[in-house]
């Protein structure tokens, strides 16, 4: 594939306007056909276009043009030609845009399609463009093709030097020359000569007149006697060469009186030909006239009075050129109009992308994508361009795309150069080297460096592999570990270290650098095989190390007599300590080394030097009254959304900040009756949970006190929040979780609630993983047991049959292949994709669980479940009523902290999606029994979390449902309540039943619509029928033309069939239109049923957002500040006010960001329950006891006193 950058049409046009063939040498390159050299950010900014270059203003030469008409679309045989002349330098331009595609059904680029503008690649021709003698005044011609896959456009640009050279003009207009001519005329003509010399404008004017006559020949006007007085004093004999070059001819003639006279004859050009045909003598004359026109207009009006031809001001052809190139109204950034002619240049990064500074963000992304497509080799540079422009523009759309690209491994030049340097090469050279050579260099280098550097160099090699799109290099980067020794050294281990420690180092390495996961896994695999350790294999399988760890971080610190872990240590001093300890007690060498490694990594994590990337907040917000941003640690922006959300829940925040007053006493007595999520809480679990709360407290204090605009959540906090807390301690007495699920990149794959015993049916049932057939079945069994306790039939007797508990959600997605050991890795990949989507919801559940485990309860709920602040804020009591066809109902109540809804593949209001969950539905699992269920809220928590199931498993793959959920700023929950103040249960139930009937109708219609709109051919049924009628018609015609049947296969002709089909197509189309109408009106009717049910208003508080695909993307959160009445967007380190509210409530047209979680807060308590801003920034030199790590880094560095 060719690897050559291109230019979007607007860019090419801009370059054309500044390209001056006369000064090409000065520019150092051909501005039109070449891309600018890659910007060197460290060099002095330099001008791309020499100041002397003409900024052309092209004027139309209509008679030579085929102009596009306004509003006309080019067709399969369109060719536009814009002929023009620059009114400043008089160079001529022929711009030929050729759309001819010889009927290959191509689609030229145009606005509002995937290819909104052309992207031109210069096609080098084989003949030289320059004059061999260095003369710049020679014609140039350049050919470009559009790079869009189905765009046929070929562009030819021809530039021709002026017909009149500077010298010609001097001869024609210089006053000295004119005076001399007058004198010569007087000598020759005597009395007949004029008294006054010719004006400079006259030569041009006369010439113009002659040429006009030449183009419109009239009898008797073709001959000019040289002795004509005007001619003599204006041209004399000086201008012969000019006249001849224009096609004038001269001759000696004998007058009637016998005298010899010299005469000139006007040129005799051929008649006008089609503008697209070759240049003729006529073209030369037309060009000359255009130039004369320009030259004459260049005289001040006083000096050109009385010229023969009333001057018609030439018309600029900029619009025609833009229209022909399809960039008349490309998508511009909203700011004052483009400035094609300004001498001020765009930042070179724009030119790098073949774009202009006035491009809108989406168009810039298009330009970027085109460059990446045609010139992958330079992708790091293009990425850098995009990155820097995103920063410069402070555009969240661009920044999101940059973030997504970065998460996919895209790197910029700096990173790539660093990567090459790391393995001892220079980027500039390496680009010309083969993959094999680079790998051999890398291997050679591995021999001389230590294990820690080796790891890093593999990471760097991976970057190179990614940039070169080389699978071979990427493979080399991840599979470099082959032997047991290599595996140990990669993990910084020694043979004496235990399996436990192998697992610890694995986790640490992966935490430090998520991208090293593949290598780390390989290393542990090798160790597991070598040692034949089932525990390590299990660890790889499910992310859990069974049994107790030999040493934890606290112990490690204790071993070295270090009391204050929060303090940053001088690691060299620490190493000296270690050596001293080992000398004193060589038998415990392994133990000390382990402890040292643990402390080392703990220190690295806790005291990382602050991010020096030097991000400047886009808009300056007051430090002391604006929320802080959370820097992204690893691939976890959903975590930041969750943390920011929690911070704004005031009672929760206050509790965490004062957590020491609320922590549960960890003693067997205190924990004996404690139940969280229907599970007993072991001391280990409580301790873990309390560690988490302490970490969260630290973060919250940072968020309040940080003297900066951002804080960095600790990796430890993330690990605790993401880890499946129970797994470590509960594993012994729980059935092992499905071994194929475990942790992926440290994130739990199952719902955070302990799976088998889950009280909150919907919470865990809704984890995507439960869509796996097996686990659904398992969960149903367990819920069945649970149902036994609670179930009562309407007649009061326990429901002896005890049917399986109905799932509180729509039917599971189609089954996926059963995971086998071999298929594990691919399944894990799928799961990883799924898990990523659900993270925000899961992590929130996990955190609620941790908080409840950590704190003291203030009562008990059903089944001994601990009542506490978390329950009171987030958990609603929801009853599922199950109805069998014989009218028996049974019900079951559960506490749940969220509702899971589906967008349902169509844009609709939130109510409609909630209705799906709550209203009467047939139980898929129970089809035979024809049972159905609905749900009621018995008690609604003041904070309602609604999770949106965005991932759908369809046709063998996971896709994202991007349908829009319309949000109201106030949501009335009345219709889901059992009863309200104004509407007792019976009344509400009657309304509900009315609604269910309508919904039934809705469902039928949806099926009808599906049949009408979805056919196997990806077109609607009516279109299919219509197409068929066309086909038949064509057949019939072809048959008529042939007059005989050629073979037996011809379609039999039924008279009238074509018409019937066409009518039918029309009917179908009407039908589907009316269905859509009816769907809409039923939606409205359903909504109106509950019009006056407004006892339970909830106000929109926050929305978790995601942009990307099922495979990954970027998360952020919108949070409403009820005190200030504004919305903010929390996007990792940036917290910005949302300026246009439509960003939140409306859907974008392309790759829309979608809501994944929606939070409403009880209307009358919104102020009390939420508070978006709590800030009290401390100055840097005041070190807070609990929040010191963050800033201590600034001051410490080697300055820590170390007790000997
Ligand atoms: Zn010019
Ligand atoms: Zn195109």
């Amino acid at each position: 594939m060719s690897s050559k950058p291109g230019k979007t049409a607007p860019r090419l046009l801009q370059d054309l306007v500044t390209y001056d063939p006369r000064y090409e040498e000065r520019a150092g390159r051909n501005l039109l056909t070449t891309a600018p050299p890659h910007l060197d950010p460290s060099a002095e900014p330099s001008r791309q276009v020499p100041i002397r270059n003409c900024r052309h203003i092209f004027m139309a030469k209509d008679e030579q043009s085929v102009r596009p008409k306004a509003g006309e679309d080019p067709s399969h045989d369109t060719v536009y030609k814009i002929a023009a002349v620059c009114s400043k330098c008089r160079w001529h331009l022929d711009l030929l845009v050729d759309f001819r595609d010889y009927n290959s059904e191509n689609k030229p680029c145009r606005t509002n399609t995937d290819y909104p503008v052309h992207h031109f690649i210069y096609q080098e021709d084989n003949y030289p463009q320059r004059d061999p003698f260095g003369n710049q005044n020679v014609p140039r011609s350049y050919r470009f093709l559009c790079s869009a896959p189905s765009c046929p456009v070929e562009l030819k640009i021809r530039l021709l030097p002026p017909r009149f050279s500077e010298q010609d003009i001097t001869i024609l207009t210089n006053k000295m020359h004119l005076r001399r001519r007058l004198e010569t005329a007087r000598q020759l003509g005597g009395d007949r000569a004029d008294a006054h010399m010719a004006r400079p404008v006259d030569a041009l004017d006369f010439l113009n007149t002659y040429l006009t006559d030449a183009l419109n020949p009239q009898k008797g006007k073709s001959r000019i006697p040289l002795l004509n007085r005007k001619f003599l004093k204006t041209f004399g004999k000086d201008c012969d060469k000019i006249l001849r070059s224009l096609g004038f001819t001269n001759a000696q003639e004998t007058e009637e009186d016998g005298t010899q006279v010299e005469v000139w004859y006007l040129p005799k050009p051929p008649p006008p030909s089609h503008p697209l045909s070759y240049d003729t003598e006529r073209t030369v004359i037309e060009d000359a006239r255009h130039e004369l026109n320009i030259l004459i207009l260049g005289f001040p009006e006083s000096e050109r009075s009385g010229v023969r031809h009333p001057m018609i001001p030439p018309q600029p052809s900029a619009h025609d050129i833009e229209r022909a190139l399809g960039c008349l109204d490309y998508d511009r950034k909203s700011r004052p109009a483009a400035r094609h002619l300004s001498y001020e240049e765009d930042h070179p990064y724009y030119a790098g992308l073949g774009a202009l500074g006035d491009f809108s963000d989406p168009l810039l992304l298009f330009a970027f994508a085109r460059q990446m497509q045609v010139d992958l080799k330079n992708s790091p540079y293009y990425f850098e361009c995009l990155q820097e422009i995103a920063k410069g523009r402070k555009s969240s759309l661009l920044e999101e795309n940059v973030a997504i690209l970065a998460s996919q491994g895209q790197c910029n030049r700096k990173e790539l150069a660093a990567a090459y340097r790391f393995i001892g090469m220079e980027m500039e050279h390496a680009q010309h080297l083969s993959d094999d050579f680079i790998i051999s260099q890398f291997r050679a280098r591995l021999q001389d460096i230590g294990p820690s550097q080796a790891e890093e160099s593999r990471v760097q090699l991976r970057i190179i592999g990614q940039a070169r799109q080389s699978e071979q290099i990427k493979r080399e980067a991840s599979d470099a570990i082959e032997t047991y020794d290599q595996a140990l050294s990669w993990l910084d281990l020694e043979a004496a270290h235990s399996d436990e420690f192998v697992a610890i180092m694995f986790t640490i390495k992966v935490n430090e650098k998520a991208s090293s996961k593949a290598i780390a896994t390989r290393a542990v695999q090798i160790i597991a095989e070598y040692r034949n350790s089932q525990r390590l294999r299990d660890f790889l399988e499910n992310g859990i190390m069974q049994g107790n760890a030999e040493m934890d971080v606290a112990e490690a610190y204790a071993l070295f007599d270090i009391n204050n872990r929060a303090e940053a240590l001088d690691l060299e001093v620490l190493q000296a300590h270690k050596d001293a300890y080992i000398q004193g007690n060589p038998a415990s060498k392994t133990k000390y080394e382990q402890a040292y490694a643990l402390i080392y990594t703990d220190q690295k994590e806790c005291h990382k030097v602050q991010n020096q990337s030097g991000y400047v907040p886009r808009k300056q917000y007051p430090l002391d009254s604006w929320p802080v941003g959370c820097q992204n640690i690893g691939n976890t922006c959903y975590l930041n959304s969750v943390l920011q959300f929690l911070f704004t829940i005031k009672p929760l925040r206050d509790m965490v900040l004062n957590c020491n007053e609320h922590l549960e006493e960890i003693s067997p007595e205190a924990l004996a009756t404690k139940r969280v999520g229907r599970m007993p809480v072991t001391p280990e679990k409580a301790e873990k949970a309390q560690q988490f709360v302490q970490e969260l407290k630290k973060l919250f204090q940072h968020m309040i006190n940080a003297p900066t605009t951002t804080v960095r959540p600790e990796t430890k906090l993330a690990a605790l929040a993401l880890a499946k807390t129970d797994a470590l301690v509960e594993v012994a007495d729980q059935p092992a979780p499905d071994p194929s699920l475990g942790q992926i990149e440290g994130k739990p794959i199952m719902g955070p609630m302990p799976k088998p015993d889950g009280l909150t049916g919907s919470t865990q049932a809704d984890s995507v993983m439960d869509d796996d057939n097996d686990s659904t079945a398992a969960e149903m069994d367990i819920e069945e047991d649970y149902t036994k306790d609670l179930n009562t039939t309407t007649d009061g007797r326990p429901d002896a049959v005890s049917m399986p508990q109905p799932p509180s959600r729509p039917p599971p997605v189609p089954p996926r292949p059963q995971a086998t050991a071999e298929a594990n890795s691919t399944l894990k990949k799928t799961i990883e994709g799924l898990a990523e989507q659900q993270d925000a919801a899961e992590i929130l559940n996990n955190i609620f669980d941790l908080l409840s485990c950590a704190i003291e309860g203030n009562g008990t709920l059903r089944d001994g479940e601990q009542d506490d602040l978390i329950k009171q804020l987030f958990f609603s009591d929801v009853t599922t009523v199950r109805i069998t066809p014989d009218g028996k109902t049974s019900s079951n109540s559960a506490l749940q902290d969220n509702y899971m809804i589906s967008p349902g593949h169509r844009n609709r209001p939130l109510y409609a999606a909630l209705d799906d969950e709550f209203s009467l539905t047939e139980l898929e699992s129970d089809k035979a029994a024809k049972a159905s269920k609905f749900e009621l809220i018995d008690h609604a928590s003041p904070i309602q979390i609604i999770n949106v199931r965005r991932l759908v498993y369809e046709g063998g793959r996971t896709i994202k449902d991007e349908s829009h959920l319309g949000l109201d700023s106030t949501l009335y929950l009345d219709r889901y309540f059992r009863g309200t103040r104004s509407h007792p249960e019976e009344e509400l139930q009657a309304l509900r039943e009315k609604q269910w009937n309508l919904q039934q109708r809705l469902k039928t219609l949806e099926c009808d619509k599906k049949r009408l709109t979805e056919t196997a051919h990806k077109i609607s049924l009516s279109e299919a029928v219509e197409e068929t009628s066309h086909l038949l018609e064509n057949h019939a015609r072809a048959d008529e033309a042939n007059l005989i049947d050629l073979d037996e296969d011809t379609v039999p002709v039924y008279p009238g069939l074509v018409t019937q089909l066409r009518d039918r197509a029309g009917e179908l189309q009407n039908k589907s239109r009316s269905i859509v109408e009816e769907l809409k009106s039923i939606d409205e009717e359903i909504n109106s049923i509950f019009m006056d049910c407004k006892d339970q208003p909830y106000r929109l508080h926050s929305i978790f957002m995601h942009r990307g695909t099922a495979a990954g993307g970027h998360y952020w959160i919108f949070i409403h500040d009820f005190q200030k009445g504004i919305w903010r967007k929390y996007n990792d380190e940036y917290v910005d006010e949302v300026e246009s509210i439509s960003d939140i409530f409306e859907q974008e047209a392309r790759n829309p960001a979608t809501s994944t979680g929606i939070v409403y807060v009880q209307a009358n308590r919104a102020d009390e329950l939420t508070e978006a801003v709590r800030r009290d920034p401390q100055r840097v030199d005041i070190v807070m006891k609990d929040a010191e790590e963050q800033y201590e880094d600034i001051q410490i560095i080697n300055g820590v006193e170390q007790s000997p």
Side-chain angles (χ1 to χ4, degrees), residues 253 283 1040 1146:
E253 287 184 356
T283 324
E1040 276 163 29
E1146 281 166 25

Side-chain angles (χ1 to χ4, degrees), residues 109 118-119 146 148 151:
C109 308
H118 298 297
H119 182 254
C146 178
C151 178

